[in-house]
Amino acid sequence: MKPSSDKNSRNVDAVHGHPLVKADEPAIDLVKLALKNVVTLGIAAAAGIGLGIFAYKILGPKYTASSQILVKLKSPIEIREEGNRIIAGERSAHVEIIRSPKVVERAVRDSQLDQLATLAGSEEPARDIIDSLKVSRTAGEDHHQLNILNLQYTTSKSKDATAILNGVIKAYDDYLKDDARKNHAELQTLLEQINNDLSPRLAAKTKEYHEFRRNAPLVWKAPAGADKGPNNVTNIHHQRVDAIATERVKVELLYEEISSRLSTLKSAIERGESHEALMLLVKTFLQKDQTSNSQTVVSGATERQQLDSQLIPLLLEEQAALKRYGSGHPDVINVRKRIDLVKSYYRQMGIDLPTMTTKVNPATGESELVTGNDPIATYVVALEQQQAELKNRIGELQKLFDRSADQAKDFAQYEEREQTLSDELKRIKSLHDIVANRVEVLSLAPDEGYQLTQISPSRAEPDIKHVIKIVGGCLVMTLMSTYAFLFLREMRDTSVKSLADLRAIVDTPILGTLPSIANPAKNLQAARETGLAPMLYYYHDPGSPEAEACRSVRATFFVRAADVDAHIIQFTSSEPGDGKTTTISNLAISIAQAGKRVLLIDADLRKPMVHQLFGMREDIGLSECLSGEIEMANAVQDSGIENLHILSAGAIPAKPAELLSSSKLHYLLGQAKRDYDFVLVDSPPVLAVSDPCITAQSVDTVMLIVRLHKNRRPSVKRALEMFEAHEIPLLGVIANGLQDASGDYQYRGGYGGGYDKKSPYQQTNDIPEFLAPTQAVIPS
């Protein structure tokens, strides 16, 4: 046995931190569930069919009456085309009209259908008929000339079904005739409405509209009655108001600009700016006008303003030439000729020349404008005259704008009146056209309407669908209920039923499976002869399927034990009755017969059973060795099978857990490991007592026995969680009871949960003869 200090280095999943238990629960396979319970589902199907037949007999048969009718136009008139189809007459939804309350209530009233036996106790016979009446079209469409319709009605009496169907057909025929008569009455009413009301109103409104257009001071672009555009009416006053407003804005902007220039020049003169500075300022204003390609005055200015705008630049040019060349220079002479020419225009028009200049007043010391030939003074006078002219023009434009706006408002009233008359005329004309079109349609088809012909008489037959619905409904309901019950039972059943379920919850190797012993009594004779229990099938019947399964487990056991270098293996289970003692005993026999020296130790100090299976004495065993009463070599018993020795539990101690916790167990197992190839330790269930977790601290590894169809998933998970919590290395899992879920493996003594039942192999006076203990020789 390896020292406990090397425990954390063992090559097992629990030590390396890998969880032994998986978190996912196995999913329920619906197909496998159905196949597994195919017999139950078959019985449920048979019961459902029987229940359906019984229900059909109680509810009684149903009869379905059927008939065919032909609905066609009396005088088909082509009204319009849609694509390549000719649309004849009007649309009529025959299927919905036949099933409408209006037609069915008429059938009940005219044919006295409420007196029939099947409808005698009904509060709403028309509604009951509609619920069971079926109408379908086999030829034609609503807008076609010909329509063939199938009618069906189902009830419990054949005569009533036929009578109800004939009553509905007759009611629909009467409905179509009444509809045709209504069309003729409608035609007469519409003609009277046109002649007496709409036509006179339309003529009067048309005359009023034309009179208004002829007398109104408006100009229309479109003729009367035509579609009007957004600018159909021309109102010259609106256009005049827009033009005046635009011109006034231009004049106001120019007035502000001239006022700004005039204020700037006068401020410069009052400050006593030099003549050169004033000349530069004037030139700047003139260059600005030339850059913008505009004159100082607006278009349409007076003759004086136009002459001023020509004279001032020439005066500036003259002064510049005099300073540069002198008075006799040709350029000066040329400029003066042009100035004289402009002045001649002044004289021809009777306009005084602006002759102002600047001088300093000795009394006040301020600059003043005086008469002279200076271009700056001329430019100032020109600006003042232009300012006065623009101000006068702004006033005149405002007066003109006010007059034009008043005239435009007066003309807007005419536009509103024209719109009102136009709308009224359109409304009356639209109504007149609708009525006229309807009159035209009705007049083109004086014999308009649909004609109904019953082309197949009403005939009632037993309703096979009624039988199928009842029997099929009961069958489906029974199968679904049964399957739902099986599914819920499967969900509630948390037992491990297969290797797939086991693989879904454990993450450790499954070394193999052992089937349930099919017939333990067949080894009864051999057990009497050998003194070994019939449950030791590997010894009594080595050719049985159970023995072959044990060999398969043994082969996997050897490989797994070699991988982790395990020689002392403890066997346990999650709950009592899982067959761990039978499994470890047969596996010990198979290992011994494979040539390995095996010591089987019964460490179940509460309900030992190994001595009963092998027919050994139980008064000397593991408890005496642990208490120091006897040496292990003297307590080990020969099983009678080559290479297999047994160390029974011995006398049951008062405190098994404390006895197993002593260091003597560690020493005893180490001694056994030196003398044997394998030491197999049988321990109690891990969820029943704490003994297995105590014993596991002194072994190399642990083997878990899981009994299929008995152990529940939470129990197996809890056992694996306990192994992880105590850092117990797990060699693998053996699945027991693969084919048989029955059987109860019982223990002697008691520690709860059904684990305290009396063992059938307990040494009593009625123990079978073949289980009588042999007398072991104890060395002195």
Side-chain angles (χ1 to χ4, degrees):
M1 183 185 65
K2 294 183 179 181
S4 58
S5 60
D6 296 337
K7 184 176 180 180
N8 291 334
S9 63
R10 294 173 182 174
N11 186 20
V12 290
D13 292 338
V15 175
H16 287 282
H18 301 296
L20 302 176
V21 57
K22 292 183 178 179
D24 298 334
E25 288 284 342
I28 298 177
D29 192 326
L30 301 181
V31 177
K32 289 184 178 180
L33 178 63
L35 294 176
K36 184 174 67 173
N37 297 277
V38 64
V39 176
T40 303
L41 293 175
I43 295 174
I49 294 174
L51 180 63
I53 296 174
F54 178 73
Y56 176 76
K57 290 182 178 181
I58 293 178
L59 297 175
K62 293 282 187 180
Y63 296 91
T64 300
S66 58
S67 179
Q68 276 189 334
I69 60 174
L70 171 65
V71 182
K72 65 177 181 178
L73 284 172
K74 293 179 181 179
S75 299
I77 301 298
E78 295 181 0
I79 302 300
R80 63 186 185 278
E81 292 187 1
E82 289 184 2
N84 296 325
R85 297 190 306 169
I86 301 298
I87 306 303
E90 295 181 336
R91 295 179 60 87
S92 57
H94 299 290
V95 174
E96 297 300 326
I97 295 176
I98 292 175
R99 297 185 70 254
S100 65
K102 184 175 183 179
V103 173
V104 177
E105 288 175 358
R106 182 171 186 169
V108 173
R109 182 179 63 254
D110 295 347
S111 301
Q112 297 181 350
L113 300 180
D114 54 344
Q115 303 298 325
L116 298 176
T118 55
L119 297 175
S122 175
E123 295 181 358
E124 296 184 8
R127 175 55 55 187
D128 295 340
I129 293 175
I130 293 174
D131 292 341
S132 300
L133 179 63
K134 295 182 179 179
V135 183
S136 60
R137 180 184 287 107
T138 59
E141 294 182 11
D142 283 337
H143 50 255
H144 283 185
Q145 300 177 13
L146 298 177
N147 289 272
I148 298 178
L149 305 174
N150 283 343
L151 284 78
Q152 289 184 342
Y153 184 78
T154 303
T155 187
S156 59
K157 295 184 179 297
S158 60
K159 292 183 178 180
D160 290 1
T162 303
I164 291 172
L165 199 60
N166 289 332
V168 172
I169 294 174
K170 181 179 180 300
Y172 189 55
D173 188 21
D174 295 340
Y175 169 81
L176 294 177
K177 293 177 181 178
D178 291 345
D179 190 59
R181 287 192 292 269
K182 288 180 181 179
N183 288 339
H184 294 293
E186 180 186 359
L187 175 61
Q188 185 64 31
T189 302
L190 293 176
L191 287 173
E192 292 177 357
Q193 184 179 6
I194 288 179
N195 296 329
N196 300 332
D197 182 22
L198 293 178
S199 295
R201 287 173 58 192
L202 180 61
K205 188 58 66 175
T206 302
K207 181 179 179 180
E208 181 183 359
Y209 181 65
H210 285 286
E211 286 290 336
F212 171 78
R213 286 173 63 99
R214 187 163 49 251
N215 299 326
L218 300 177
V219 180
W220 284 270
K221 297 179 181 179
D227 293 335
K228 296 186 297 182
N231 298 317
N232 181 49
V233 179
T234 301
N235 190 334
I236 58 176
H237 297 286
H238 282 295
Q239 297 177 356
R240 184 179 301 169
V241 168
D242 294 338
I244 294 172
T246 303
E247 181 66 18
R248 186 178 62 181
V249 171
K250 293 180 180 179
V251 174
E252 289 176 348
L253 292 175
L254 188 55
Y255 176 82
E256 294 296 330
E257 181 179 359
I258 291 176
S259 298
S260 176
R261 291 183 181 184
L262 186 59
S263 175
T264 303
L265 276 174
K266 287 184 177 181
S267 297
I269 294 172
E270 292 175 356
R271 290 195 305 269
E273 296 288 346
S274 64
H275 187 268
E276 289 76 8
L278 294 175
M279 291 288 290
L280 180 62
L281 184 60
V282 171
K283 289 180 180 181
T284 302
F285 290 151
L286 294 175
Q287 289 176 358
K288 182 178 179 181
D289 293 338
Q290 293 175 359
T291 303
S292 60
N293 295 322
S294 64
Q295 294 180 350
T296 308
V297 295
V298 297
S299 60
T302 61
E303 295 178 352
R304 170 62 182 271
Q305 292 169 336
Q306 294 179 359
L307 291 175
D308 291 344
S309 64
Q310 296 179 16
L311 177 62
I312 295 170
L314 291 175
L315 294 176
L316 293 175
E317 185 177 353
E318 179 189 12
Q319 288 191 359
L322 286 173
K323 291 181 180 181
R324 181 178 299 178
Y325 305 114
S327 60
H329 196 273
D331 290 344
V332 175
I333 297 172
N334 186 27
V335 171
R336 286 178 174 175
K337 289 181 178 180
R338 285 187 289 167
I339 292 174
D340 293 338
L341 179 61
V342 173
K343 289 181 178 181
S344 66
Y345 285 120
Y346 275 88
R347 287 189 292 270
Q348 291 176 7
M349 296 179 183
I351 302 173
D352 295 334
L353 292 173
T355 55
M356 299 182 69
T357 185
T358 60
K359 72 175 183 177
V360 178
N361 189 345
T364 61
E366 297 179 354
S367 298
E368 296 180 353
L369 290 174
V370 296
T371 303
N373 231 355
D374 186 56
I376 297 175
T378 304
Y379 186 65
V380 171
V381 172
L383 290 179
E384 289 176 342
Q385 293 174 349
Q386 293 174 19
Q387 184 184 42
E389 175 66 20
L390 291 174
K391 184 175 181 180
N392 182 57
R393 291 191 65 186
I394 291 174
E396 294 299 326
L397 288 173
Q398 182 63 40
K399 295 177 182 179
L400 183 59
F401 178 84
D402 293 339
R403 290 196 302 269
S404 299
D406 293 338
Q407 293 173 347
K409 292 178 182 179
D410 295 337
F411 275 76
Q413 296 178 357
Y414 288 100
E415 291 180 324
E416 293 177 0
R417 178 60 179 166
E418 190 274 339
Q419 184 65 40
T420 302
L421 291 175
S422 177
D423 292 343
E424 291 179 356
L425 181 60
K426 285 185 178 180
R427 181 176 56 83
I428 298 174
K429 187 176 181 181
S430 176
L431 181 60
H432 181 274
D433 292 343
I434 293 173
V435 176
N437 290 336
R438 179 60 181 167
V439 169
E440 182 181 0
V441 172
L442 294 176
S443 61
L444 287 175
D447 196 19
E448 183 192 18
Y450 285 94
Q451 181 180 3
L452 186 148
T453 304
Q454 189 172 0
I455 60 178
S456 175
S458 301
R459 182 178 301 171
E461 296 179 354
D463 188 8
I464 303 300
K465 294 182 179 179
H466 180 64
V467 181
I468 296 175
K469 287 181 180 179
I470 294 178
V471 177
C474 292
L475 174 62
V476 172
M477 181 183 65
T478 306
L479 285 176
M480 291 182 63
S481 301
T482 304
Y483 191 83
F485 170 76
L486 295 174
F487 182 80
L488 292 176
R489 188 182 67 178
E490 188 75 9
M491 288 184 62
R492 293 175 60 88
D493 184 11
T494 60
S495 61
V496 182
K497 294 177 285 295
S498 63
L499 287 179
D501 292 348
L502 188 58
R503 291 191 187 99
I505 60 177
V506 301
D507 200 19
T508 54
I510 300 177
L511 301 189
T513 59
L514 294 176
S516 298
I517 301 175
N519 186 15
K522 69 178 181 178
N523 300 325
L524 188 58
Q525 183 61 34
R528 289 193 179 97
E529 295 175 357
T530 59
L532 300 178
M535 305 300 292
L536 302 178
Y537 52 81
Y538 195 91
Y539 181 80
H540 296 302
D541 191 5
S544 63
E546 295 86 352
E548 187 60 34
C550 189
R551 291 189 189 93
S552 178
V553 173
R554 179 187 64 185
T556 311
F557 173 83
F558 282 158
V559 174
R560 182 65 175 163
D563 289 342
V564 299
D565 192 21
H567 297 276
I568 306 175
I569 300 95
Q570 175 183 330
F571 283 69
T572 185
S573 63
S574 59
E575 298 172 339
D578 295 338
K580 61 174 180 57
T581 302
T582 303
T583 301
I584 191 174
S585 299
N586 283 280
L587 186 60
I589 295 174
S590 67
I591 296 174
Q593 290 187 356
K596 305 292 184 180
R597 287 177 52 80
V598 181
L599 174 62
L600 176 58
I601 301 176
D602 190 352
D604 190 345
L605 302 185
R606 299 175 186 269
K607 289 179 286 186
M609 292 197 60
V610 174
H611 67 282
Q612 296 184 19
L613 294 179
F614 288 91
M616 300 284 179
R617 58 186 297 181
E618 63 170 331
D619 54 345
I620 298 177
L622 179 62
S623 60
E624 284 76 19
C625 294
L626 295 178
S627 61
E629 297 179 8
I630 190 173
E631 295 293 332
M632 185 184 69
N634 297 326
V636 172
Q637 305 178 53
D638 189 357
S639 65
I641 300 173
E642 186 178 3
N643 295 328
L644 178 59
H645 293 81
I646 308 296
L647 179 59
S648 63
I652 297 178
K655 298 180 179 180
E658 285 73 4
L659 188 61
L660 292 172
S661 300
S662 64
S663 59
K664 185 67 175 178
L665 177 63
H666 188 79
Y667 171 77
L668 186 146
L669 294 176
Q671 182 181 358
K673 182 178 180 180
R674 291 191 295 269
D675 297 335
Y676 297 92
D677 296 322
F678 289 99
V679 179
L680 306 183
V681 180
D682 184 18
S683 63
V686 68
L687 298 183
V689 292
S690 60
D691 298 1
C693 296
I694 298 174
T695 308
Q697 305 303 319
S698 301
V699 301
D700 292 337
T701 184
V702 175
M703 182 75 72
L704 179 65
I705 308 298
V706 177
R707 189 172 188 85
L708 302 181
H709 302 284
K710 175 185 177 296
N711 290 139
R712 300 189 177 275
R713 292 190 293 270
S715 299
V716 178
K717 287 185 177 181
R718 178 57 183 157
L720 296 174
E721 290 171 356
M722 290 188 66
F723 291 154
E724 290 184 359
H726 291 82
E727 297 185 356
I728 298 174
L730 186 62
L731 183 66
V733 179
I734 297 177
N736 192 19
L738 181 62
Q739 298 176 350
D740 185 9
S742 62
D744 186 13
Y745 188 49
Q746 299 171 335
Y747 280 79
R748 182 181 65 185
Y751 28 85
Y755 200 50
D756 55 352
K757 295 182 180 179
K758 184 178 179 181
S759 172
Y761 305 120
Q762 185 177 354
Q763 291 185 3
T764 59
N765 295 332
D766 56 353
I767 189 171
E769 179 182 354
F770 69 89
L771 291 179
T774 58
Q775 298 295 327
V777 178
I778 302 177
S780 57

